[in-house]
Amino acid sequence: MRLKKPQGTEDILPEQIPLWRYLEDTVRNTFERYNYSEIRTPIMEFYSLFNRSIGETTDIIEKEMYFLRTREHEEGTKDLLTLRPELTAPIVRAYLEHNFDKTRSFQKWYYYGPLFRHERPQKGRLRQFHQIGVEVLGSYDAFSDVEVIDLAMTLLRLLGINDCQLDLNSMGCPDCRKTYSKALREALEGSVSKLCENCQQRFNKNILRILDCKDKRCYEISFNIASLDRYLCQRCNEHFRKVKKGLEDNRIAYRLNNRLVRGFDYYTKTVFEITHSGLGAQNALCGGGRYDGLIAQFGGPPTGAVGFAMGVERIIEVLAAKKRIEPRGPSVYLAVTDESLKSECYKLLRELRENLVSAEMDYEQKSLKAQFRNADRIKARFVAVLGTKELSKGTVTLKEMATGKEREVELKSLVETIKE
Ligand code: HAM
């Protein structure tokens, strides 16, 4: 039986790593230029962290959580452990657990890591995927929203992705949402039976999500209903006005999308999504927004917060269509003319590596010709040939692969010659 990876997971093979590294380096440089510090939290967390924050009636909580079973849990003594489906709630947990709210309440953090959602796998939708993201904790300032959106757009531009679309909306505070939900319920009451099955349930449990439904009938039914921005209270309106102005002043193009209601209960005020047309149905590269109620909901003081997360596999997919990054080979490949020289060869290999020169040799007892082919395949810059005669003189033959130029080099100056 051939072994297989679980459905909805991916192996990232060595030849794909250069593109991932390019992305990771650009991400870290950009986030740090905006003065965000990295935070790393566990991959497993308690279930109660997520059902309390994401919301009991969301798809993630209802259908997509992975649970971990241990003996202890089977005996029912502990809160259930889960694989994290997102990182905003864990970040808030870490913020409160380490008392940042009491000591240094303003924090700008970034993260990068794997997440798990038991979704139906399809192109662009995995069960294990990676996110990069940022969270600003401790600020109600509209310029935090502007900075976070600016950062997402700048990062994509620096990666070479210019052709994406930024959608913006405000979901208001719980008060605005309550009034709007009531209005929505009244407007949709007569058409509930015409909605898709999912939205019929949403009508009772999470009515705002009907606006986000991809079903054509639901879209048409809810199309003419007054949008949420008409129901924003004065404070939420003013905040939204500042965010829009900040984006306009900095020429960050956005499209107002009053149907954008993100799939987590914790959002307040600003929400946004960045999509790319080259991706197919799962076209969101980035999603984010403000969540001013979450820290207080977990027992902290009222604290403003805003952030975003991007799907790394989706960015890689867009990048792979635009860019090819060749893997870099070692500086030098040591070839031997005779197996009996292997032990000398390995000593030299170690010496090169000790001197910070990347180096490789043959481990498959290949002929000299095949060793050269191997050096070429792994993209070594030089091949140094160790022969009996040369070694007795204390030299090797060094060939530069790109030019084909060969010369004899003294063993003791090999490191220097290669470094030059
Ligand atoms: P999200 O919209 O669920 O937001 O995820 C953000 C991004 O992760 C999506 O736009 C998409 O690129 C990627 N993504 C999500 N699910 C999958 C999947 N199954 N397979 C591949 N990629 C996926 C959040 O997670 C929020 N925590 C974002 C946030 C941070 N809001 C405020 N701060």
Side-chain angles (χ1 to χ4, degrees):
M1 188 191 69
R2 281 181 91 93
L3 299 175
K4 278 191 162 171
K5 59 184 166 47
Q7 208 191 353
T9 65
E10 271 180 359
D11 295 315
I12 306 159
L13 298 175
E15 68 245 34
Q16 297 166 301
I17 293 294
L19 200 56
W20 280 73
R21 283 269 183 92
Y22 161 75
L23 180 144
E24 288 159 11
D25 291 347
T26 313
V27 165
R28 284 180 199 285
N29 288 339
T30 312
F31 285 172
E32 285 170 20
R33 195 139 40 90
Y34 277 67
N35 196 33
Y36 286 72
S37 309
E38 184 174 2
I39 175 163
R40 301 182 189 185
T41 59
I43 282 169
M44 54 185 178
E45 295 272 1
F46 289 118
Y47 174 61
S48 53
L49 176 66
F50 298 110
N51 70 341
R52 285 173 57 199
S53 54
I54 297 177
E56 290 280 6
T57 60
T58 56
D59 283 353
I60 293 185
I61 293 301
E62 281 191 338
K63 305 179 206 150
E64 298 169 5
M65 296 297 286
Y66 279 93
F67 293 96
L68 297 174
R69 280 170 69 166
T70 65
R71 279 273 152 72
E72 216 178 2
H73 290 118
E74 270 167 30
E75 284 158 17
T77 53
K78 287 265 160 67
D79 188 357
L80 284 173
L81 278 174
T82 57
L83 295 178
R84 60 192 190 186
E86 65 105 50
L87 263 156
T88 308
I91 296 292
V92 167
R93 185 216 24 87
Y95 177 84
L96 291 171
E97 190 162 346
H98 299 280
N99 294 321
F100 281 93
D101 56 316
K102 301 196 184 83
T103 50
R104 294 158 283 166
S105 65
F106 182 68
Q107 292 296 322
K108 290 171 45 169
W109 289 345
Y110 80 84
Y111 48 81
Y112 169 42
L115 302 155
F116 306 83
R117 294 183 191 173
H118 191 263
E119 301 199 74
R120 195 168 44 79
Q122 65 176 90
K123 186 170 172 284
R125 192 158 72 187
L126 292 158
R127 289 181 171 169
Q128 175 175 338
F129 60 99
H130 295 78
Q131 277 185 353
I132 47 173
V134 303
E135 310 293 347
V136 178
L137 304 140
S139 166
Y140 289 100
D141 194 332
F143 274 101
S144 294
D145 309 41
V146 174
E147 179 182 274
V148 158
I149 297 172
D150 165 27
L151 175 51
M153 294 300 279
T154 301
L155 174 62
L156 290 170
R157 179 168 50 77
L158 291 174
L159 286 167
I161 305 174
N162 294 307
D163 44 349
C164 43
Q165 168 73 46
L166 166 65
D167 278 28
L168 186 72
N169 194 18
S170 173
M171 294 187 64
C173 60
D175 287 344
C176 323
R177 272 219 293 275
K178 210 161 146 194
T179 331
Y180 183 58
S181 297
K182 192 163 164 265
L184 205 55
R185 187 156 284 121
E186 279 163 16
L188 286 173
E189 210 140 38
S191 327
V192 181
S193 60
K194 294 189 205 128
L195 296 170
C196 76
E197 215 176 295
N198 228 340
C199 283
Q200 292 193 17
Q201 287 182 16
R202 285 173 175 154
F203 182 80
N204 295 318
K205 295 196 296 193
N206 203 339
I207 194 160
L208 283 183
R209 298 283 302 156
I210 294 177
L211 298 177
D212 204 27
C213 184
K214 303 284 180 286
D215 189 295
K216 207 166 151 241
R217 275 171 312 163
C218 302
Y219 182 84
E220 280 164 5
I221 292 167
S222 58
F223 185 74
N224 285 323
I225 296 174
S227 60
L228 207 158
D229 52 353
R230 298 250 310 266
Y231 291 82
L232 292 183
C233 67
Q234 206 238 326
R235 276 179 68 186
C236 290
N237 229 331
E238 181 56 13
H239 185 87
F240 199 33
R241 188 193 64 73
K242 286 184 185 160
V243 174
K244 288 185 284 188
K245 179 155 188 324
L247 294 176
E248 283 152 24
D249 287 349
N250 291 284
R251 296 209 186 85
I252 299 166
Y254 65 87
R255 174 173 71 183
L256 280 182
N257 177 355
N258 52 35
R259 302 179 75 91
L260 180 67
V261 284
R262 307 236 327 116
F264 301 89
D265 280 1
Y266 52 61
Y267 286 117
T268 55
K269 299 184 184 151
T270 318
V271 285
F272 63 97
E273 226 161 66
I274 304 172
T275 52
H276 191 275
S277 57
L279 280 174
Q282 299 302 316
N283 63 356
L285 284 179
C286 173
R290 193 162 259 291
Y291 46 97
D292 290 344
L294 191 55
I295 294 172
Q297 193 191 322
F298 281 137
T303 310
V306 57
F308 72 72
M310 291 186 186
V312 179
E313 282 78 0
R314 293 188 192 172
I315 301 176
I316 290 285
E317 198 188 326
V318 177
L319 281 182
K322 291 178 187 271
K323 212 175 175 81
R324 217 190 123 61
I325 301 176
E326 292 297 335
R328 271 182 48 194
S331 298
V332 60
Y333 186 96
L334 301 185
V336 286
T337 55
D338 191 286
E339 270 296 301
S340 65
L341 301 172
K342 271 277 173 73
S343 142
E344 280 308 305
C345 182
Y346 193 78
K347 275 190 207 147
L348 182 57
L349 190 71
R350 269 197 88 211
E351 194 185 321
L352 287 160
R353 290 169 174 171
E354 289 282 323
N355 284 287
L356 310 182
V357 175
S358 57
E360 183 55 302
M361 68 179 232
D362 165 52
Y363 296 101
E364 297 166 283
Q365 279 123 17
K366 288 195 163 150
S367 67
L368 187 60
K369 205 167 147 198
Q371 291 178 63
F372 265 98
R373 266 205 306 274
N374 201 18
D376 191 45
R377 189 181 55 80
I378 67 170
K379 300 194 165 54
R381 257 198 84 200
F382 293 99
V383 175
V385 183
L386 282 69
T388 324
K389 243 191 336 197
E390 288 89 344
L391 277 184
S392 65
K393 279 196 293 176
T395 63
V396 289
T397 309
L398 189 67
K399 178 174 176 178
E400 188 173 14
M401 296 298 275
T403 59
K405 271 193 208 146
E406 269 186 27
R407 62 189 149 143
E408 208 162 305
V409 176
E410 284 199 28
L411 267 177
K412 55 179 189 296
S413 56
L414 184 62
V415 169
E416 260 165 59
T417 313
I418 289 167
K419 277 190 173 170
E420 272 165 24

